[in-house]
Amino acid sequence: HLYRLGATDVKEILLLRRQKQSKGMAYVVFNRHEHAVLAKNKLQGMPASSIPCAEASQEQQVLQVRFSESERCINGRSNVYGADMAILLMGPRGRAMVEVKEASGLRKVTLTGRNMKSFGQVDEDPRVHLVVYYEPDEVDNVSKALEHWGRQLGEIHREIVERSKGKGKGKGWPWMP
């Protein structure tokens, strides 16, 4: 499906499952950023049923596509941005996660991953995950958390572009309020 959209350089696809049941989510890693952008732009908002492996219960759902900062976090300051993304994502003393928690009303919000040094949760997975804790009747708060997190990521990327001024890399600056 991605190949037909023009995104021909897929490096890896990780389908997320829980107890052998699809969670309806996947990570797709591309070799070239422009192919990731192409796939994101073409897939965003498409009916889930347009994906060949979609289940019948997904007929009314639409695809939501987001960029992941996991690969950039793994590389520390050696990534394309020249900034430690884990630090930027967490904010000073974990403030970004506190903001997501407060804006969403969730019980707990944290980042996990192998490269989390402080104010995150260290585990063996090299990818970074936003982990939220909630009760069944609070499921709508998860969407609020994703919206707030998306705004934070947008601000981080705007700041990276602003500071790099086309030079390709910013050199480690404090997280924006």
Side-chain angles (χ1 to χ4, degrees):
H1 187 72
L2 291 168
Y3 191 86
R4 284 182 293 194
L5 295 175
T8 58
D9 73 337
V10 174
K11 180 179 178 180
E12 174 185 8
I13 298 176
L14 174 64
L15 301 174
L16 301 180
R17 299 182 181 276
R18 176 174 284 144
Q19 297 176 347
K20 298 186 181 182
Q21 294 292 320
S22 172
K23 291 177 72 175
M25 296 185 291
Y27 283 105
V28 181
V29 179
F30 293 89
N31 288 309
R32 295 192 315 249
H33 181 70
E34 59 270 14
H35 281 234
V37 170
L38 175 74
K40 180 180 187 274
N41 291 341
K42 290 194 175 187
L43 290 172
Q44 181 66 32
M46 283 182 66
S49 59
S50 68
I51 302 295
C53 62
E55 297 175 6
S57 63
Q58 296 175 325
E59 287 181 23
Q60 301 300 319
Q61 296 178 353
V62 296
L63 299 176
Q64 293 184 7
V65 183
R66 296 180 178 88
F67 282 120
S68 168
E69 295 299 337
S70 291
E71 297 296 320
R72 291 171 187 91
C73 289
I74 291 168
N75 295 328
R77 285 182 181 260
S78 299
N79 66 45
V80 69
Y81 299 146
D84 190 329
M85 289 304 296
I87 290 172
L88 293 176
L89 294 172
M90 288 297 296
R93 297 189 167 186
R95 187 172 80 203
M97 296 301 98
V98 171
E99 288 178 8
V100 172
K101 178 183 178 287
E102 290 173 354
S104 65
L106 290 169
R107 297 175 182 276
K108 182 178 177 183
V109 176
T110 190
L111 286 180
T112 66
R114 182 172 37 207
N115 290 355
M116 301 310 299
K117 294 176 179 71
S118 62
F119 297 101
Q121 187 174 331
V122 178
D123 62 26
E124 291 304 310
D125 194 331
R127 292 182 172 95
V128 174
H129 300 276
L130 177 69
V131 179
V132 300
Y133 297 83
Y134 62 96
E135 295 297 324
D137 62 330
E138 300 170 328
V139 71
D140 290 338
N141 293 352
V142 175
S143 295
K144 292 177 188 175
L146 288 173
E147 288 173 22
H148 194 78
W149 176 240
R151 285 192 295 273
Q152 286 180 341
L153 286 174
E155 287 299 317
I156 289 169
H157 286 148
R158 278 188 284 284
E159 183 74 13
I160 287 168
V161 168
E162 177 69 25
R163 293 201 180 243
S164 70
K165 299 283 190 204
K167 296 175 197 151
K169 291 188 177 191
K171 286 296 178 193
W173 52 85
W175 180 78
M176 315 64 68

